[in-house]
Amino acid sequence: MLKEKLEDVWHQSSTSLYIHEAVYNAWHTADVNESSQWDEPLGDKIVVMAKLENEDTDWVSENLPDWQQAIYTVNPSNKTVASSNQLITPLNKGHESMAYLTYVIDHYGTLPSTIAFLHSHRSGYWHAWHTDTPMHDNVHAMRALQIPFVQSNGYVNLRCNWNPGCNKPQRRNLHVTREIWQEVFSETSTSRFNLSTSTNSLNTSAADPEAAEKAKYSPPNINVACCAQFAVSRKQVLERPVEDYIKFRRWIMETKETDAKSGRVMEYLWHVIFGKDAT
């Protein structure tokens, strides 16, 4: 049992890749931000993230100068609250999802063409083991991101490794129960039909009497590779009315679920929110 658990951790954390890159980088010391090919003007794309007051996120502007940034402090001090130059969330709950949804709601009419939702930590095994790049580095991830694919696919999970989240033992999601599914998606444009088949049915109006009935259906399995880092196109975001995103944020704020639990629920629903199948 212990052997299986250790093998699972080794696999999901890409430990062999981490060791390989650590050895390689010991002999190749050029830093990733030394490449001049990334010294580009601000593009029609943005990095959105949540951070704690004491977290350093300067790595975004220093290493991704061609990306705009919207970095929200979730536990702001009085000084940060008083500053007109700082972005803050209305509540510190739901982990990164509060910042993600707040950005979409506040900028729904002026979104750039590509939005990347990232964690505040740049790299390192202990914080960023879930980032599938050399040294688990989000700078590498963003530089490797294929913008045309994001535009054609609408939603792209930035983790390619299916573990954790998609392996057979994980297919019955214990975080998104039938009751929680209904709480999150009731009175939104979510269709029951994008639970198992690829459709463009997200445009069902919330005012449609059938919409409430559709929201009652919850999929038997909800699977996605962890860990709430992804990129979406503006077009895909606009497939939903802004009222849906307001409803999702209101669920986080009002649910009895904890900060951690509500954030975990959203982690397993972003792909559904942005038009993908539940499994």
Side-chain angles (χ1 to χ4, degrees):
M1 185 69 173
L2 177 60
K3 179 176 181 291
E4 292 178 354
K5 181 61 176 176
L6 290 174
E7 288 177 345
D8 184 54
V9 171
W10 177 280
H11 173 61
Q12 67 176 268
S13 304
S14 304
T15 306
S16 58
L17 174 63
Y18 186 85
I19 293 173
H20 174 270
E21 293 297 332
V23 173
Y24 178 87
N25 287 336
W27 297 95
H28 300 78
T29 57
D31 191 83
V32 292
N33 67 3
E34 291 180 357
S35 175
S36 62
Q37 64 177 310
W38 301 109
D39 186 18
E40 300 173 351
L42 214 59
D44 187 24
K45 52 191 179 180
I46 193 166
V47 168
V48 178
M49 64 174 57
K51 62 163 284 188
L52 295 174
E53 180 85 42
N54 62 354
E55 285 186 296
D56 182 4
T57 55
D58 288 347
W59 62 267
V60 179
S61 58
E62 292 170 356
N63 296 280
L64 302 170
D66 54 324
W67 286 79
Q68 301 177 57
Q69 56 182 291
I71 301 176
Y72 290 80
T73 301
V74 298
N75 63 336
S77 63
N78 291 336
K79 180 180 179 180
T80 298
V81 171
S83 173
S84 60
N85 298 322
Q86 300 293 322
L87 297 174
I88 61 175
T89 55
L91 188 67
N92 183 11
K93 189 179 180 185
H95 284 192
E96 64 281 321
S97 60
M98 185 62 66
Y100 291 3
L101 289 167
T102 296
Y103 173 78
V104 171
I105 292 166
D106 290 350
H107 299 85
Y108 187 81
T110 57
L111 296 168
S113 62
T114 303
I115 307 109
F117 297 95
L118 298 181
H119 293 170
S120 56
H121 43 254
R122 171 181 169 175
S123 61
Y125 179 83
W126 295 114
H127 291 293
W129 58 266
H130 47 76
T131 303
D132 292 340
T133 58
M135 304 305 289
H136 307 284
D137 192 335
N138 257 331
V139 171
H140 282 291
M142 297 309 296
R143 291 181 175 180
L145 183 64
Q146 302 299 302
I147 300 296
F149 183 71
V150 177
Q151 292 300 312
S152 64
N153 204 52
Y155 162 92
V156 175
N157 193 326
L158 297 183
R159 180 168 173 81
C160 299
N161 190 332
W162 283 13
N163 186 26
C166 296
N167 284 354
K168 190 173 182 179
Q170 303 158 346
R171 288 180 185 170
R172 181 162 291 279
N173 194 295
L174 300 179
H175 300 286
V176 186
T177 64
R178 177 183 176 87
E179 291 73 22
I180 285 179
W181 173 278
Q182 293 175 6
E183 289 176 9
V184 172
F185 289 114
S186 65
E187 300 178 2
T188 71
S189 61
T190 301
S191 166
R192 62 177 288 194
F193 300 110
N194 81 315
L195 306 184
S196 59
T197 57
S198 296
T199 73
N200 293 318
S201 57
L202 285 177
N203 285 321
T204 304
S205 171
D208 185 342
E210 190 180 2
E213 184 66 23
K214 290 175 179 177
K216 294 180 181 179
Y217 293 84
S218 60
N221 298 311
I222 302 173
N223 309 116
V224 66
C226 84
C227 293
Q229 294 197 115
F230 54 93
V232 295
S233 68
R234 174 176 57 222
K235 181 177 182 295
Q236 188 62 53
V237 174
L238 297 180
E239 287 293 307
R240 287 185 176 275
V242 68
E243 289 79 11
D244 278 9
Y245 301 106
I246 294 172
K247 170 62 168 60
F248 299 145
R249 188 175 68 175
R250 186 167 66 247
W251 176 82
I252 297 170
M253 299 173 75
E254 296 178 355
T255 180
K256 68 181 188 305
E257 305 297 342
T258 64
D259 168 39
K261 178 64 181 291
S262 58
R264 189 72 69 192
V265 167
M266 296 304 296
E267 175 183 340
Y268 285 101
L269 291 180
W270 290 119
H271 66 299
V272 178
I273 287 172
F274 292 114
K276 298 303 178 185
D277 299 342
T279 57

